Amino acid sequence: MITAESISFAYGDAVVLDGVEVTARPGQIVGLIGPNGSGKTTLLRTLYAALAPRAGQVSLDDVPIQTLHRRDIAKRLAVVVQEGGGELPLTVTDLVLLGRIPHLSTFQRHTTNDYAIAAAALTRVGARQLADRAFAGLSGGEKQRVLIARALAQQTDHLLLDEPTNHLDIRYQHEVLQLVSTLDVTTIIVLHDLNLAARYCDEVVLLDRGTIRAAGRPEDVLRAEVLEPVYRIRVQRVRTDDGFQLLFRPFDERDTSELAS
Ligand code: ADP
């Protein structure tokens, strides 16, 4: 379980998060949604202790994260972020093996078991054939899969992802999120695409300028009257065979005056 209680954060004087609460219960996928600049990435960074909140507390399975050492956090929590691994001159296997480091003792080298875990993780994400390639030379979609494999090799109960569908074509977006939804880990995921959030998240949390506007099941939060004032875009929700789809169009002048009134 991941719990964030009353999280506040500021960059200098600029308050970016104000009393934010998020709970991901065991095995759940919770989506963080909201417009650009609403604080999603900052919140995620407090969840993996890359940023210390000014107030409030993050806990993993009820253990306050600030009482845990880095290595213990890494045994419990894996993170897939955009900048992860970047330009390092590593092969794909080397990169995935980084996920094993929290499990090694000081100066211990990777064992055959670590290599087996890394290979299994690559197979799981459908990237086994990339094992010997240079990570830096992969496409965006391939990199994303490999970063998820590294997180899997870390064998944690908790997973955080920041926009894992960036750079992916539509089929891969669904493949990556389907993969995430088959994992038996507690997951918090930043997503821009609200239709993907609707399909794959158990709950969503809608951030707006550093506060929570709405939280709950996707069908309750992803409604036109909730989304329109936050994103300032017209939203239409259409029933489909297996749920709903959101359609978007810009406000016209009539819409803008209606909102202002
Ligand atoms: P989101 O992920 O929802 O786009 P962010 O958490 O990245 O939002 O940003 C929230 C706000 O904090 C924005 O106004 C952004 O400009 C600001 N911000 C983000 N990172 C920094 C930083 N390192 N220093 C100062 N301000 C920042």
Side-chain angles (χ1 to χ4, degrees):
M1 184 155 83
I2 305 169
T3 321
E5 292 168 279
S6 306
I7 300 295
S8 296
F9 184 84
Y11 293 106
D13 292 336
V15 175
V16 172
L17 298 172
D18 188 9
V20 170
E21 311 265 340
V22 182
T23 300
R25 290 192 289 280
Q28 262 192 335
I29 300 180
V30 173
L32 298 181
I33 59 171
N36 287 336
S38 57
K40 303 179 298 294
T41 296
T42 302
L43 175 59
L44 206 74
R45 300 191 78 207
T46 67
L47 295 179
Y48 59 91
L51 294 175
R54 292 228 171 147
Q57 179 159 291
V58 175
S59 304
L60 297 175
D61 293 332
D62 296 323
V63 181
I65 202 163
Q66 76 275 12
T67 66
L68 294 168
H69 294 294
R70 274 267 142 227
R71 175 186 288 262
D72 293 320
I73 294 174
K75 283 182 185 171
R76 292 162 181 255
L77 179 71
V79 180
V80 177
V81 292
Q82 297 302 319
E83 64 269 24
E87 300 312 312
L88 296 174
L90 296 175
T91 67
V92 164
T93 295
D94 291 337
L95 190 116
V96 176
L97 281 171
L98 293 178
R100 299 302 303 156
I101 287 177
H103 300 279
L104 303 178
S105 47
T106 314
F107 303 126
Q108 188 194 344
R109 297 172 67 95
H110 290 112
T111 64
T112 51
N113 184 45
D114 294 317
Y115 279 90
I117 289 169
L122 280 171
T123 301
R124 184 88 193 263
V125 302
R128 185 78 182 91
Q129 74 285 1
L130 303 176
D132 299 325
R133 295 266 305 273
F135 178 76
L138 302 182
S139 73
E142 290 168 337
K143 280 184 179 164
Q144 204 60 271
R145 285 161 173 267
V146 171
L147 292 173
I148 292 174
R150 180 180 68 182
L152 294 181
Q154 216 171 314
Q155 296 186 319
T156 62
D157 292 332
H158 306 92
L159 177 62
L160 302 178
L161 303 109
D162 194 354
E163 273 295 321
T165 54
N166 258 2
H167 311 302
L168 302 188
D169 71 33
I170 296 168
R171 183 165 67 88
Y172 278 135
Q173 291 179 6
H174 283 272
E175 279 194 17
V176 161
L177 291 176
Q178 265 166 356
L179 169 70
V180 169
S181 63
T182 59
L183 305 174
D184 190 21
V185 295
T186 306
T187 303
I188 295 183
I189 180 168
V190 173
L191 281 175
H192 270 300
D193 186 319
L194 301 182
N195 284 309
L196 291 175
R199 184 177 291 273
Y200 294 103
C201 294
D202 299 300
E203 291 193 5
V204 290
V205 174
L206 172 62
L207 281 171
D208 182 20
R209 286 167 290 174
T211 61
I212 293 180
R213 268 298 184 103
R217 297 183 310 160
E219 55 267 47
D220 296 331
V221 174
L222 300 175
R223 291 184 291 125
E225 60 271 35
V226 177
L227 298 173
E228 286 182 346
V230 174
Y231 285 91
R232 303 191 65 76
I233 189 128
R234 268 286 175 238
V235 178
Q236 189 185 355
R237 186 158 123 167
V238 181
R239 279 253 141 250
T240 57
D241 293 346
D242 60 349
F244 62 85
Q245 282 282 315
L246 300 168
L247 306 176
F248 307 98
R249 69 170 171 80
F251 280 141
D252 56 28
E253 274 174 31
R254 194 171 28 112
D255 296 326
T256 315
S257 56
E258 183 188 308
L259 257 196
S261 64

